Amino acid sequence: MSSLTLERQIRPIYDALDSGSHKSALVTCNKLLKKHPKNDHLKALKALALTRAQKFEEAIVLCEEVLATKPTDDGIINALMHALRHLGRFADLVKLFEDAFKQQPDNDEFGRQAFFANVRAGNWKAAQLLANKLNKQFRNDRYVFWGITCTFLQANDPLTAPEMRDILLKLAHRLITACWKQVEVHPDRLYLHTSILQQLGLYEDARELLGTESGRFFCARNLSCDHLRREIMKAGGWQMEEGGIAEQRIVEKRDRNWLEFVSILDATFLPSTLHQSNLPDLAQRVAKTRDLFLKVSEQDGSHDRTAQLALMELEKLSVVHEVPSEPSRLLNLLKHYFEVLGDKAACYEDLRSYIDLGSEELHDWITLIEKTTHTPSSGIALRRSINAHKLLRYVLSATQLTVDQEGIRATDLVREYFEALPLGKDLPKLELQPADDLAILAAQVYVNMFVLDNAMAHLHNAVVILEYASKKSPQSYQIHLELVRIYRLLGAPQLALDHYRLLNVKQVQNDTMSYFILSRATNFSLAASGDLAYVSECLESSHIYFSNSQETSEFIVKSFNMEKYSQIHELVVFEERLDNSLQRDLVKIEHVRLRISHEPVSSELVDMELIELKFIFDRLHHDNRDLEVLPNYQPRGQPSFLSQTTLFGKEPAGGWLSIFLKIYIKVLSGASDLDLSVEDDKLLVGDRPRQSYNPDAKKPLMERLAVQSADELSELTEDEVALFHYVTDLTNWLDPFHNFLRPRGEATKLPPKNGHSSHDGASADGHGRKPDDAPHISEPPDSILSYFKNAYAKFTRAVTASRPIYEILHIATLAQEALLLFSICTKRFKDASIVRIHKLGMLVQHIKTLRASAIDAVRDIGTQLIKISELEGTSDKRKQFVENCIALQTHAEITHEYVLDVGKKLTESQRKVMEGVGRGIERVCKTPM
Amino acid sequence: MSIIRPFRADDLFRFNNINLNIWTETYGLGFYFNYLSRWPDMCCAAQHPNGRLMGYVLGKAEGSPHDFHGHVTALSVAPEYRRLSLARILMNFLETASDDVYGGLFVDLYVRCTNSIAIDLYEGLGYSVYRRVREYYGSLGLGPGGKDEEDAFDMRKPMSKDMYRRSVRPNGRDVIVSAHDVS
Ligand SMILES: CC(C)(COP(=O)(O)OP(=O)(O)OC[C@H]1O[C@@H](n2cnc3c(N)ncnc32)[C@H](O)[C@@H]1OP(=O)(O)O)[C@@H](O)C(=O)NCCC(=O)NCCS
């Protein structure tokens, strides 16, 4: 057949791939491959179709085959490139294009692609060399800048040795100065040049560069360049000059960027050691600045608040620098701000950090704010009133925070909320209600009351008012988030999840927000009884990490292409931060915890999770969680609303993650036949993700698993610590046997990528082990059995003492987890022939006894949970709920039926979670292990 | 007191208070990075001195040589920082860049016909409706807004290059086109 006909036959494959029907693409590929089994173009297309169909292992084999032929044909290269990108095989992409470029050194497209492939993989050094080569061959200024950028990025790569950093920066400096005069300057080239000078501390040079005609031109038009200029001026000690520029911008251009005011303040308070000339003394400079700000503030009136706040900042800094000042001045400024701008929503946040007053002034301030009327006659009056509430609450002293006094405040806020609601009655449903903040505040007061006396009734009041407010103002994320926090405290995870889902959290928000719902998800999940809501939430929230590794590097490449050098480093850092996100791996651990509770634990699961967790263990994590999204209105000096609503008062972070990783790595590595010392690159589909910079990861794994710091443990609850110690003892006891029985040498072959593991055939003989070498069988440590006994006793105590549901569930779910971990750890000893050959009968006997007692304890917990769940969701409980909220029912809007309905949903959700967890435990106990 | 500074990639970690809002879409990473890797000088954020983000504007420069112009893709200010003239400042930033840096003839934007606050704001800033675009937006699925919810006004404001104000017209609200005529 002529190649022309073949080409015609290949067409439909492209069409099928384009339209997303990879199945038909595959069929056509296979058909044609029968006739042309050696055709690389077909193979590459088949590989692409396979990746689209998620058949990664097969795809990789084909990719490697074609790659080995070092293709230069555009069609083959293109298909292969797409397949490799999808597979995340960045190293192979590099090889593909580097090989092609080597064969056709005149092909600049191959050269560029080879450069981009290295950029995607973060190989800055190799990329830089390629950029040089490209420039030598094809002469283009952009290649020069690409090379310089790569050198700069290499210098900033955390993996680069510190002593190399300076050398690289100097190299970048040399290269950029060498070419600067001959190239066209644009803002991003200027930005790159200045950044290099900045990092080398060559501030003089940087200032000179920015002071050239083009430098000034671009700083005036480009925020990034101007931002850099500010930093240079500050770092170089030219605050006085910068202050002058800022004054000009403020006065002449009416610029109200806060940064200009900061520049003036910097100049005002410049330490005298840095003065170039004999300036007037500090007090005089402060007075002069005050005059300037006063003038501006008078000019701006209520139009712009910047100058007013700058005046407060000036007073605050005067105190810091011990410049004598009138104490009444700050007070008067605060008062003035409140008078003129007290109706702005930002008022509270603006003023909060300046309310640092002596007792007399504080008294004065409070008196003024207390005069605010709380009759919401207009939007403006309402906003003033809300600000007054927030400001007064901020300065409450500890003695004013009794349950009774807080109760009065809550009642007032709720009353005012209902009075204010009519102000928003004509607003479209999609707009926020102006009265929202009153309900949000009231809920914070109720939560504080709960913290004071532990009575759930306060939380009941909070949900009643918040549920009402969320119906009135369905777009208020703050209301939903408060409800999420409170429902978790109340042990109503389904309702928490419902409100969380209403927020429509998407994309990157999953990384920053999912902690609201997935932190300690295991505590609430019903996965063991078949309800996978939390499991799927874990999976959904993790898509973003895949998008990050697929997409972000493409835009790094694009920034090179568009010569937007100002963005490249930030994109590189972003990619790294999201890739090594703490939340990502906290969710990962939760997912594994949930997985073992509802999936049969196959050896494939064990191996795959082990490899991934081990990899995570080497990561240096970044905490991207948005802990600021929910506003805090609790008084100063008191715990924030967020921490008040944190389960167990401990939010899992790096320490918690580290301990749970240790727990799971210990257990899974015992159960696995993988040799942990083997490099596991080959086990992952894509490249080994770029290693993050973690100096700790250099130590041997076993050593790192064996230690734990008090800091790490402090993030755990008492029960979690107990689980950790239990696992440590359990694995210490069994590890000698695991190590003895684990197939060695050749048999430690990595599991084939199709997932079938070879464990089952791994009989004990043929590994050069003599049965007599088996480790001595010792009695199991008492702590294993007592773990379960203690858990059971604690559980019963918690139930008798009517502890909060989340606490009861905590003990129960951890006990279940301990049992599951036990069965994973002991799975190996179920093989009767191994036991016989190595005379491990005694060991197995111990295990059986332990297991029986553990199951007894855990099963009883489950049974009891089901039993007490029947006490929830009853009419008694609902009645109790309604009674707890009796005060709220004085408002016509809060009817008995309404409260009853909220109570019904709450108690029903509580019942469901207890019953569900109980049933899950029953199922786990029944499952043959 | 607001810091006006370039919008940066890592602002994506902190824009929740702005984006948890029905009028503000949260897009995939590629959306933001496309703007940053092409028009970083058309992207700007406002930040409170305490570190919280207050609002942002994302825009681009596009068009053929005879109608090259600036475009506002997203403008949003967090509820707690509204009515501080931030939208005005951010729009002013984008207009200056369109005019000075890109020499655009005009700046344009799309806004839901139901978003009356934004429409008022834009009109106050000198924008006028150029045409109404049918079904430009997917439905919010939130009920009775009907057509208005899906339709967009294409609004424009002439820049200094358009001395004779050729890019705008007085009766734009009556000019109706369908979504595929504009994209
Ligand atoms: C529209 C939006 C950006 C306005 O932001 P903002 O920073 O509060 O606006 P500004 O303070 O700069 O207001 C400028 C002018 O617009 C008008 N305006 C703004 N908000 C208004 C409101 N709620 N009611 C009446 N007029 C309003 C006023 O004339 C105001 O001037 P003034 O305060 O001196 O009277 C903001 O409400 C928002 O983010 N909304 C959600 C997202 C959105 O709709 N974006 C537009 C999509 S195209």
Side-chain angles (χ1 to χ4, degrees):
Chain A
M1 198 183 305
S2 77
S3 66
L4 210 65
T5 358
L6 181 61
E7 224 163 80
R8 212 174 300 130
Q9 286 174 316
I10 283 179
R11 263 272 68 114
I13 305 180
Y14 279 104
D15 295 341
L17 284 169
D18 281 346
S19 63
S21 32
H22 20 262
K23 261 220 187 101
S24 90
L26 260 181
V27 172
T28 319
C29 281
N30 285 334
K31 210 170 73 197
L32 289 175
L33 271 169
K34 277 219 179 88
K35 282 190 233 152
H36 314 273
K38 293 233 151 59
N39 187 295
D40 288 330
H41 197 172
L42 285 171
K43 284 187 199 163
L45 284 170
K46 183 176 172 185
L48 180 56
L50 285 167
T51 49
R52 298 262 167 93
Q54 314 271 324
K55 295 187 177 162
F56 299 133
E57 286 82 11
E58 264 182 88
I60 289 173
V61 174
L62 266 179
C63 282
E64 280 172 354
E65 217 179 297
V66 183
L67 200 60
T69 68
K70 303 191 177 175
T72 50
D73 173 271
D74 281 344
I76 301 178
I77 285 203
N78 235 315
L80 204 55
M81 173 177 81
H82 282 107
L84 290 172
R85 259 202 229 170
H86 194 90
L87 291 165
R89 308 275 285 198
F90 292 126
D92 285 345
L93 266 174
V94 169
K95 191 174 158 355
L96 173 69
F97 285 110
E98 285 191 348
D99 283 345
F101 189 40
K102 253 181 222 140
Q103 293 172 77
Q104 298 186 4
D106 293 332
N107 187 328
D108 58 344
E109 182 56 24
F110 285 164
R112 269 198 303 275
Q113 289 300 340
F115 173 80
F116 293 148
N118 277 297
V119 165
R120 280 191 200 93
N123 299 337
W124 307 124
K125 173 104 193 101
Q128 184 241 325
L129 292 174
L130 268 161
N132 288 354
K133 207 184 226 174
L134 278 165
N135 187 48
K136 274 208 193 94
Q137 198 103 342
F138 308 105
R139 287 285 159 209
N140 188 329
D141 289 347
R142 70 167 49 205
Y143 298 144
V144 179
F145 280 89
W146 286 6
I148 296 168
T149 303
C150 290
T151 313
F152 179 75
L153 291 170
Q154 198 193 342
N156 280 286
D157 191 332
L159 292 173
T160 299
E163 61 276 14
M164 273 307 286
R165 192 186 133 86
D166 222 39
I167 299 175
L168 288 163
L169 284 173
K170 282 187 181 137
L171 172 63
H173 180 213
R174 224 174 33 244
L175 293 170
I176 205 161
T177 14
C179 75
W180 195 249
K181 289 253 147 53
Q182 294 108 50
V183 298
E184 192 192 334
V185 178
H186 32 90
D188 278 82
R189 289 180 174 179
L190 180 72
Y191 185 93
L192 176 65
H193 193 165
T194 315
S195 303
I196 294 169
L197 295 172
Q198 181 190 31
Q199 291 204 359
L200 281 169
L202 298 172
Y203 304 126
E204 263 315 333
D205 296 6
R207 183 163 79 144
E208 199 177 306
L209 180 65
L210 296 174
T212 57
E213 197 181 324
S214 58
R216 286 201 311 275
F217 183 84
F218 290 128
C219 284
R221 279 166 185 76
N222 185 293
L223 275 183
S224 303
C225 291
D226 197 44
H227 216 74
L228 211 46
R229 188 192 57 78
R230 279 178 211 282
E231 287 177 11
I232 301 281
M233 294 299 275
K234 193 158 181 178
W238 297 296
Q239 283 92 338
M240 297 305 297
E241 189 182 328
E242 184 62 12
I245 299 174
E247 183 170 339
Q248 222 174 0
R249 287 183 177 186
I250 291 170
V251 175
E252 285 166 22
K253 296 197 175 151
R254 308 189 112 257
D255 193 334
R256 293 295 177 267
N257 193 342
W258 178 247
L259 295 175
E260 306 301 351
F261 291 80
V262 171
S263 294
I264 293 185
L265 291 166
D266 282 346
T268 308
F269 292 100
L270 190 67
S272 53
T273 45
L274 290 178
H275 290 173
Q276 297 95 331
S277 58
N278 31 349
L279 285 169
D281 76 356
L282 185 55
Q284 270 174 292
R285 278 182 281 145
V286 168
K288 186 170 162 271
T289 302
R290 184 176 297 121
D291 284 347
L292 171 69
F293 288 175
L294 262 176
K295 222 165 66 204
V296 178
S297 123
E298 275 159 21
Q299 226 175 55
D300 290 355
S302 63
H303 276 303
D304 197 293
R305 71 212 211 287
T306 320
Q308 285 198 48
L309 289 158
L311 280 165
M312 291 185 217
E313 188 72 19
L314 183 73
E315 293 311 316
K316 193 173 158 183
L317 291 170
S318 295
V319 174
V320 175
H321 292 268
E322 297 174 347
V323 183
S325 172
E326 294 283 321
S328 61
R329 211 176 257 140
L330 182 57
L331 174 65
N332 289 335
L333 289 169
L334 285 165
K335 284 179 168 174
H336 181 67
Y337 181 105
F338 187 71
E339 261 156 42
V340 181
L341 293 154
D343 63 333
K344 297 286 181 193
C347 169
Y348 173 67
E349 215 179 303
D350 280 348
L351 294 190
R352 194 169 46 183
S353 66
Y354 297 114
I355 306 176
D356 195 4
L357 301 167
S359 60
E360 218 171 288
E361 287 82 29
L362 183 62
H363 180 259
D364 245 28
W365 168 244
I366 293 175
T367 315
L368 172 86
I369 307 291
E370 275 176 343
K371 283 200 197 118
T372 313
T373 53
H374 294 288
T375 33
S377 49
S378 67
I380 290 183
L382 172 61
R383 284 197 299 274
R384 289 191 80 81
S385 162
I386 290 174
N387 282 326
H389 282 300
K390 293 179 183 170
L391 289 166
L392 284 174
R393 183 160 183 76
Y394 180 68
V395 293
L396 288 177
S397 62
T399 53
Q400 292 171 295
L401 294 172
T402 62
V403 173
D404 289 344
Q405 296 179 77
E406 286 283 78
I408 295 170
R409 288 178 199 120
T411 310
D412 284 348
L413 286 164
V414 172
R415 182 182 34 77
E416 200 178 326
Y417 172 72
F418 286 111
E419 284 168 10
L421 266 183
L423 284 175
K425 71 178 187 328
D426 295 328
L427 285 177
K429 191 92 179 148
L430 297 178
E431 292 298 333
L432 296 169
Q433 285 288 317
D436 284 348
D437 270 3
L438 290 166
I440 291 168
L441 268 164
Q444 300 217 357
V445 179
Y446 283 126
V447 164
N448 197 44
M449 292 162 74
F450 163 74
V451 171
L452 289 169
D453 72 358
N454 282 319
M456 288 290 171
H458 305 307
L459 298 184
H460 294 165
N461 281 280
V463 295
V464 166
I465 188 70
L466 285 173
E467 283 286 3
Y468 187 88
S470 83
K471 299 287 173 321
K472 285 280 163 201
S473 190
Q475 292 307 320
S476 166
Y477 74 86
Q478 303 186 350
I479 295 176
H480 292 304
L481 283 179
E482 284 195 343
L483 278 166
V484 169
R485 303 292 291 183
I486 298 171
Y487 276 134
R488 276 165 63 94
L489 277 179
L490 283 167
Q494 187 55 48
L495 296 176
L497 194 55
D498 291 347
H499 278 279
Y500 180 76
R501 286 184 172 160
L502 284 174
L503 297 174
N504 203 7
V505 163
K506 280 188 199 158
Q507 304 286 350
V508 66
Q509 293 178 317
N510 279 301
D511 186 48
T512 54
M513 300 277 299
S514 67
Y515 77 93
F516 271 98
I517 203 76
L518 295 179
S519 155
R520 290 200 170 90
T522 307
N523 212 65
F524 294 121
S525 169
L526 306 185
S529 56
D531 173 348
L532 300 184
Y534 273 87
V535 177
S536 60
E537 200 62 43
C538 287
L539 291 174
E540 270 164 42
S541 87
S542 301
H543 288 323
I544 185 64
Y545 307 107
F546 182 69
S547 320
N548 183 39
S549 44
Q550 287 274 310
E551 285 178 44
T552 306
S553 61
E554 292 312 313
F555 289 93
I556 297 173
V557 166
K558 191 160 189 178
S559 304
F560 271 102
N561 244 332
M562 309 301 294
E563 289 208 74
K564 297 300 180 200
Y565 303 114
S566 62
Q567 302 305 308
I568 296 177
H569 187 230
E570 287 176 8
L571 287 171
V572 169
V573 171
F574 178 93
E575 186 182 30
E576 211 261 344
R577 269 183 69 179
L578 190 52
D579 202 35
N580 295 298
S581 157
L582 175 67
Q583 181 61 13
R584 173 188 201 165
D585 292 335
L586 286 170
V587 171
K588 171 72 204 174
I589 274 284
E590 290 300 334
H591 184 242
V592 177
R593 297 174 78 192
L594 296 179
R595 226 184 141 182
I596 61 165
S597 77
H598 76 92
E599 265 182 58
V601 180
S602 64
S603 44
E604 186 197 358
L605 184 152
V606 167
D607 290 351
M608 281 320 190
E609 296 297 5
L610 174 62
I611 289 162
E612 202 171 334
L613 296 185
K614 200 177 139 260
F615 182 77
I616 292 173
F617 195 52
D618 288 348
R619 270 192 179 139
L620 190 70
H621 287 96
H622 297 276
D623 191 353
N624 306 325
R625 295 175 296 182
D626 188 352
L627 304 172
E628 308 266 287
V629 62
L630 198 52
N632 174 39
Y633 298 123
Q634 302 303 23
R636 60 180 168 186
Q638 297 294 319
S640 68
F641 177 81
L642 197 74
S643 70
Q644 286 180 326
T645 50
T646 298
L647 295 181
F648 316 102
K650 290 163 183 238
E651 186 66 35
W656 188 97
L657 176 64
S658 168
I659 297 285
F660 269 83
L661 282 169
K662 285 172 194 167
I663 291 178
Y664 275 83
I665 294 174
K666 281 178 188 197
V667 169
L668 296 175
S669 64
S672 169
D673 281 350
L674 292 181
D675 179 352
L676 279 192
S677 58
V678 172
E679 265 307 300
D680 38 35
D681 290 35
K682 296 188 181 61
L683 300 172
L684 301 162
V685 170
D687 287 356
R688 187 188 180 88
R690 244 169 93 70
Q691 195 69 47
S692 65
Y693 174 71
N694 184 356
D696 241 18
K698 296 225 161 60
K699 293 186 205 141
L701 179 66
M702 288 306 161
E703 211 172 282
R704 289 164 59 216
L705 285 178
V707 290
Q708 64 281 333
S709 72
D711 271 358
E712 286 175 342
L713 288 170
S714 72
E715 287 177 20
L716 272 65
T717 65
E718 200 181 286
D719 302 302
E720 288 165 342
V721 173
L723 179 78
F724 174 66
H725 290 315
Y726 153 83
V727 164
T728 306
D729 292 347
L730 177 67
T731 50
N732 283 346
W733 178 51
L734 292 175
D735 272 350
F737 301 98
H738 288 310
N739 294 339
F740 174 71
L741 293 177
R742 184 171 297 122
R744 282 173 235 185
E746 274 189 63
T748 327
K749 261 202 327 241
L750 304 166
K753 289 187 187 119
N754 59 17
H756 296 302
S757 170
S758 56
H759 298 183
D760 318 292
S763 84
D765 28 341
H767 297 298
R769 257 185 321 240
K770 293 189 212 95
D772 297 342
D773 294 347
H776 168 71
I777 297 169
S778 59
E779 295 270 326
D782 294 340
S783 54
I784 297 175
L785 188 56
S786 55
Y787 171 84
F788 290 98
K789 281 192 176 144
N790 292 342
Y792 179 73
K794 197 162 175 202
F795 176 82
T796 337
R797 277 202 306 278
V799 171
T800 324
S802 302
R803 298 297 305 162
I805 293 172
Y806 72 84
E807 259 184 58
I808 295 177
L809 291 175
H810 190 56
I811 306 169
T813 50
L814 283 170
Q816 169 184 290
E817 191 171 1
L819 181 63
L820 288 162
L821 293 174
F822 185 89
S823 63
I824 296 175
C825 253
T826 53
K827 206 170 172 204
R828 189 189 293 282
F829 309 105
K830 299 192 73 174
D831 184 330
S833 68
I834 289 189
V835 172
R836 193 166 14 84
I837 295 171
H838 297 290
K839 305 194 180 110
L840 295 176
M842 265 295 272
L843 183 71
V844 169
Q845 204 47 52
H846 286 314
I847 290 174
K848 274 192 181 152
T849 321
L850 278 174
R851 180 186 291 138
S853 317
I855 287 182
D856 277 350
V858 177
R859 192 197 295 112
D860 282 352
I861 290 178
T863 317
Q864 273 202 53
L865 258 184
I866 295 170
K867 214 154 90 202
I868 55 171
S869 79
E870 286 157 13
L871 300 175
E872 302 294 333
T874 58
S875 67
D876 269 1
K877 284 274 169 173
R878 290 196 290 272
K879 230 160 83 196
Q880 183 67 52
F881 182 91
V882 173
E883 252 160 52
N884 288 343
C885 305
I886 205 81
L888 286 177
Q889 292 165 55
T890 53
H891 301 283
E893 296 84 350
I894 304 279
T895 59
H896 175 82
E897 285 68 41
Y898 170 73
V899 179
L900 190 64
D901 186 52
V902 176
K904 207 160 128 190
K905 288 197 182 112
L906 172 67
T907 52
E908 185 53 24
S909 176
Q910 293 169 324
R911 186 190 65 71
K912 259 195 165 144
V913 70
M914 289 207 273
E915 189 196 330
V917 170
R919 298 245 178 264
I921 290 179
E922 277 191 336
R923 199 195 55 81
V924 165
C925 290
K926 272 194 212 126
T927 311
M929 285 183 254
Chain B
M1 66 166 169
S2 323
I3 293 168
I4 304 297
R5 59 156 180 80
F7 185 90
R8 296 189 306 248
D10 64 2
D11 288 335
L12 269 56
F13 291 127
R14 287 293 167 272
F15 65 11
N16 294 316
N17 60 330
I18 303 168
N19 276 34
L20 290 168
N21 166 321
I22 190 80
W23 301 114
T24 309
E25 178 67 21
T26 298
Y27 300 95
L29 300 176
F31 174 87
Y32 300 99
F33 296 163
N34 186 37
Y35 280 83
L36 287 178
S37 60
R38 296 176 70 176
W39 306 280
D41 47 3
M42 297 282 266
C43 303
C44 176
Q47 182 187 318
H48 198 276
N50 69 12
R52 291 188 87 203
L53 276 189
M54 305 172 90
Y56 61 80
V57 66
L58 305 177
K60 61 181 167 182
E62 61 178 5
S64 53
H66 69 274
D67 77 341
F68 198 71
H69 63 277
H71 176 77
V72 186
T73 306
L75 168 74
S76 191
V77 174
E80 61 271 34
Y81 305 116
R82 297 218 177 128
R83 297 314 282 270
L84 299 174
S85 293
L86 281 181
R88 203 193 308 255
I89 292 170
L90 293 170
M91 287 296 290
N92 184 40
F93 159 84
L94 197 128
E95 287 165 15
T96 310
S98 302
D99 206 26
D100 269 16
V101 180
Y102 290 97
L105 277 178
F106 57 90
V107 171
D108 72 351
L109 55 89
Y110 294 101
V111 56
R112 266 184 218 272
C113 296
T114 40
N115 194 348
S116 51
I117 293 181
I119 294 168
D120 286 354
L121 162 87
Y122 295 134
E123 285 182 341
L125 294 175
Y127 289 75
S128 58
V129 175
Y130 183 72
R131 57 193 170 179
R132 180 182 178 123
V133 186
R134 282 263 180 258
E135 293 169 14
Y136 180 79
Y137 293 101
S139 171
L140 284 175
L142 285 159
K147 274 273 160 282
D148 283 356
E149 226 162 58
E150 295 168 15
D151 290 4
F153 284 137
D154 175 358
M155 297 182 82
R156 290 185 177 184
K157 175 177 177 175
M159 295 288 106
S160 61
K161 254 195 172 173
D162 183 14
M163 279 182 295
Y164 304 106
R165 300 178 58 85
R166 292 211 171 103
S167 52
V168 290
R169 57 188 164 206
N171 57 340
R173 283 181 193 246
D174 307 329
V175 181
I176 298 175
V177 297
S178 77
H180 49 253
D181 293 335
V182 299
S183 42

